[in-house]
Amino acid sequence: MMIATNNINKKTWLQNSIKASLVMMASMALFFSLPSHAENSDNAIPSLKGKRIGITVAGTDHYWDLKAYQGQIDEVKRLGGTPIALDGGRKDAQQISQIQVLISQKPDAIIETLGTATVLEPWLKKIRAAGIPLFTVDTASPSSINVTTSDNFYIGEQLALKMVNDLHGEGNILVFNGFYGVPVVAMRYDQLKAVLKWYPKIKIIQPELRDVIPNTVQDAYAQISQLLNKYPKGSVQAIWAAWDVPQIGATQAVDAAGRTEIKTYAVDGSPDVVSLVKDPKSSAAAVVAQQPYLIGQTAVQNVARYLAGDHSLPPATYVPAIVVTKQNAGEVQKVLGQAHE
């Protein structure tokens, strides 16, 4: 009976591994086959000449945030409009104040990027109440006409499946969960938990870690260094984060301690993190790379279409992302334009 059970478990594990691998291959095929912004016809995107577009972002200290912000500003200008761009400096109160300023200026539309959903929502409602079309980037809101983002449900699932496969369905993991109030982070975390439900031999070590802003890298390094002293070799197999700045600190701590049995995983695909994943000596095993500049551009294009009379936009526009591993990091760097960043 024991032999038969083991055979069944091995067969089930093999089937799950093959399925996950096929899904990842399909993800890569989708990423490389979709047309880039450069291939879009300018004639298909209406002009923003004479239009003023308000842009508010939670902060620009992170690569993803900065690139999405730049993409919006550049695309508004390219389409002939005038951007009114404000950086919240990673302070909720400052971003709310800036939203109030934008409302008073009555632009033709406002694009809001990131932030704490529960804090922002009353002010996003005020934008719509003022008769200003609201679009968002990475902020799921009932007040938004359209959110441009990556498919964070899919991202969370794929990152979790990659980690599960690397761990062969068994092990203990440390998880950073400091910003569940940010919708995209919550989606990724919820998908992690959904996948792990089916792999009960993988356990999240409690209590979960809290990533912070600012000094994210330094804090993650300190937390992981302390825990590596607490948990001996063989007792921790992986570290998961919903974005990739904590992954930098965690990876540095693991590598400094010589804990080669531990792998790190995260989301966003900043150039320095993709480089870590590419490094065969680094504990960074995978990161899901997004296209933040293209996400910003796409949000502006949706605004242009809406202001030109196209009110058939879907509630969400998804821009492809890809799972970056040791095997494909070099090629992904070229595709994302990171080879020289």
Side-chain angles (χ1 to χ4, degrees), residues 248-296:
I248 297 173
T251 300
Q252 290 174 347
V254 170
D255 292 346
R259 295 289 291 271
T260 56
E261 81 280 11
I262 300 175
K263 299 178 173 64
T264 70
Y265 302 83
V267 178
D268 279 337
S270 303
D272 46 356
V273 177
V274 175
S275 293
L276 283 174
V277 173
K278 183 181 178 181
D279 182 355
K281 297 180 181 179
S282 169
S283 59
V287 65
V288 181
Q290 303 185 75
Q291 301 185 80
Y293 192 86
L294 179 57
I295 287 174

Side-chain angles (χ1 to χ4, degrees), residues 101-332:
V101 170
L102 288 176
I103 292 174
S104 69
Q105 294 189 11
K106 299 187 181 300
D108 294 282
I110 291 176
I111 305 173
E112 188 282 325
T113 302
L114 289 169
T116 305
T118 54
V119 174
L120 288 173
E121 188 56 39
W123 301 96
L124 300 183
K125 288 181 180 178
K126 290 181 184 295
I127 293 174
R128 296 302 302 274
I132 302 171
L134 170 67
F135 292 75
T136 53
V137 170
D138 256 26
T139 301
S141 166
S143 300
S144 176
I145 293 169
N146 170 276
V147 57
T148 305
T149 184
S150 301
D151 185 344
N152 286 284
F153 301 105
Y154 185 73
I155 282 176
E157 176 197 49
Q158 290 303 293
L159 184 66
L161 286 174
K162 168 61 178 167
M163 183 179 67
V164 165
N165 280 346
D166 287 350
L167 270 56
H168 302 288
E170 185 172 354
N172 299 314
I173 65 174
L174 293 167
V175 169
F176 283 95
N177 186 19
F179 297 99
Y180 192 81
V182 178
V184 293
V185 171
M187 292 174 193
R188 297 166 193 168
Y189 176 84
D190 287 348
Q191 290 303 304
L192 169 69
K193 295 297 289 288
V195 169
L196 294 187
K197 175 183 176 181
W198 301 100
Y199 296 92
K201 291 184 179 181
I202 296 181
K203 306 290 186 182
I204 295 177
I205 297 172
Q206 300 295 330
E208 294 176 335
L209 307 180
R210 294 290 180 265
D211 36 342
V212 301
I213 296 174
N215 301 318
T216 308
V217 173
Q218 298 90 329
D219 181 79
Y221 182 94
Q223 288 194 65
I224 295 302
S225 295
Q226 183 178 10
L227 288 171
L228 292 180
N229 290 327
K230 177 180 178 180
Y231 294 103
K233 188 170 183 178
S235 58
V236 178
Q237 282 67 46
I239 302 170
W240 180 97
W243 56 306
D244 61 12
V245 178
Q247 186 185 18
I248 297 173
T251 300
Q252 290 174 347
V254 170
D255 292 346
R259 295 289 291 271
T260 56
E261 81 280 11
I262 300 175
K263 299 178 173 64
T264 70
Y265 302 83
V267 178
D268 279 337
S270 303
D272 46 356
V273 177
V274 175
S275 293
L276 283 174
V277 173
K278 183 181 178 181
D279 182 355
K281 297 180 181 179
S282 169
S283 59
V287 65
V288 181
Q290 303 185 75
Q291 301 185 80
Y293 192 86
L294 179 57
I295 287 174
Q297 288 179 312
T298 303
V300 172
Q301 292 169 12
N302 283 339
V303 169
R305 293 186 179 99
Y306 183 86
L307 294 180
D310 180 1
H311 293 181
S312 65
L313 293 169
T317 300
Y318 296 117
V319 175
I322 185 171
V323 180
V324 185
T325 67
K326 298 289 187 192
Q327 290 70 38
N328 68 1
E331 189 61 33
V332 173

